[in-house]
Amino acid sequence: MTALFSDPDFAGGLSCTLTGPSPGVTVVTVVGEIDTATVPDVARTLDEAAAISGRVVLDLSRAAFLSCDALRVLHRAHERIELVIVASGRVIPRTLAVTGMDGLLSVYPDLVTAIEHPRHTPSAS
C-alpha cells in the first residue's frame, strides 16, 4: 500500500491509500476526517481509482468524520462509477443513515464483504 497523501498538519490528519485487491476492483482506504479542507483530496483519489477500474470500494472504516461536502462527493462518484462503501463503528454508518445515503449507496460493514459482493442493491431504509 502506498499513501497518496497525508496531511499531518491538519487537525485529525487524513490519508488515502489506493490498492487493487482483485481484478476490476480498486480500494480507496481513508483514515481521518473528511471535511471541507480534505474533501478535494478524497475526490481526486476517487477519480484516480475510477481511472483504474469501474468498481471502487471506499473503505471508511477508519474515517472519523464525513462533512456535507464529503457526502456530495460520494453522491457524484456514485452517479458515474460503481461505488461501494465500507462503514463500521458508529459515526460513519450513522451519518449515512441520517442523511439517507445508506439507501442510495451500497454499504457494507467490512472490506471482505464489500469486495466479495460486487452487485449489491442498496436497501430503501
Side-chain angles (χ1 to χ4, degrees):
M1 285 192 207
T2 304
L4 293 179
F5 62 87
S6 181
D7 186 357
D9 296 326
F10 179 73
L14 180 74
S15 70
C16 282
T17 306
L18 222 69
T19 57
S22 63
V25 177
T26 302
V27 175
V28 175
T29 303
V30 176
V31 179
E33 298 178 353
I34 308 172
D35 62 13
T36 303
T38 60
V39 78
D41 294 324
V42 174
R44 215 172 9 261
T45 304
L46 286 173
D47 288 342
E48 290 178 34
I52 295 169
S53 67
R55 183 165 189 270
V56 176
V57 176
L58 180 60
D59 184 355
L60 298 176
S61 61
R62 295 176 53 200
F65 176 76
L66 286 179
S67 70
C68 291
D69 290 333
L71 293 171
R72 278 190 287 277
V73 165
L74 296 182
H75 187 266
R76 282 193 298 264
H78 164 75
E79 291 177 334
R80 62 186 172 78
I81 61 173
E82 183 183 351
L83 180 65
V84 177
I85 306 294
V86 176
S88 60
R90 294 186 60 193
V91 175
I92 303 305
R94 180 150 172 78
T95 300
L96 295 174
V98 166
T99 60
M101 292 292 285
D102 63 341
L104 175 70
L105 302 170
S106 297
V107 181
Y108 292 97
D110 61 78
L111 186 58
V112 172
T113 306
I115 292 169
E116 289 177 352
H117 294 87
R119 299 271 183 226
H120 173 68
T121 303
S123 62
S125 49

